[in-house]
Amino acid sequence: MNHAGRVKTNQAAVGETPGTLTLHLYPDKNRGRHSILPINDGEKVEVEAVSLDDYCRSLEIDPALVRFVKIDVEGFEPIALKGASEILKANPLILSEYAPEYMEKGGISIPDYLEMMFGNGFSAYKIDEEGIEVINRDDLSKVSEAIDVVWSKDPIS
């Protein structure tokens, strides 16, 4: 509809490895609230999953060419990004939701997630209506509500 010629849609979840995952449907009409994590009560469906690294390999996309990743998967970001280890090494700018309440409810270790990101050389920047500012690991580990975060290996001003 918007004449974007280099966009391909896929009906699949993004995970650490290829396979099948259970998608927990949000009971309202907001499809953006469905999650692989068991944060929604009610209907569930099985969905195909791909890892981002495998997907790039299948299309012969060099991970170094991935410059930007936008991800908002209702707390499943740590697992989805584990499947993008080659992409993470390539220094992309990542815009993601950081939803500690969902992660905890889904059994995801927030310290392990923060170690993965900071250990790969990323810095975190909180984005809100006031702008963008660096947020250190300790402060990020204390966040309780969902926020938007930019992960970057290069300084953002």
Side-chain angles (χ1 to χ4, degrees):
M1 290 175 59
N2 65 5
H3 308 290
R6 296 179 61 184
V7 175
K8 180 176 177 163
T9 61
N10 297 274
Q11 190 169 334
V14 178
E16 183 175 3
T17 59
T20 302
L21 296 171
T22 301
L23 182 64
H24 301 265
L25 303 181
Y26 186 71
D28 202 348
K29 294 179 182 177
N30 182 352
R31 293 182 191 168
R33 295 282 310 272
H34 299 331
S35 181
I36 298 299
L37 298 179
I39 61 172
N40 300 315
D41 296 329
E43 190 177 349
K44 303 172 196 171
V45 295
E46 298 299 306
V47 296
E48 176 188 352
V50 298
S51 78
L52 289 175
D53 285 341
D54 287 344
Y55 181 76
C56 285
R57 272 191 291 281
S58 75
L59 295 177
E60 298 180 356
I61 297 171
D62 181 348
L65 296 177
V66 178
R67 306 304 302 149
F68 180 74
V69 175
K70 196 276 187 197
I71 185 166
D72 180 350
V73 289
E74 304 304 302
F76 200 64
E77 289 81 1
I79 307 303
L81 289 173
K82 279 184 180 180
S85 61
E86 294 302 313
I87 292 170
L88 292 181
K89 291 176 191 171
N91 195 26
L93 189 67
I94 301 170
L95 172 60
S96 77
E97 181 180 52
Y98 177 77
E101 181 181 351
Y102 292 165
M103 288 184 245
E104 288 174 351
K105 188 172 180 181
I108 292 175
S109 167
I110 292 171
D112 288 352
Y113 176 46
L114 297 179
E115 177 56 33
M116 178 178 72
M117 297 307 289
F118 286 102
N120 271 301
F122 286 94
S123 294
Y125 297 83
K126 175 183 163 186
I127 298 179
D128 59 24
E129 52 279 340
E130 296 176 20
I132 185 168
E133 65 178 311
V134 70
I135 183 167
N136 65 43
R137 179 187 280 193
D138 289 338
D139 289 340
L140 196 55
S141 69
K142 295 174 189 169
V143 169
S144 60
E145 295 186 6
I147 62 171
D148 291 320
V149 173
V150 171
W151 297 96
S152 178
K153 292 182 182 180
D154 299 321
I156 296 177
S157 54

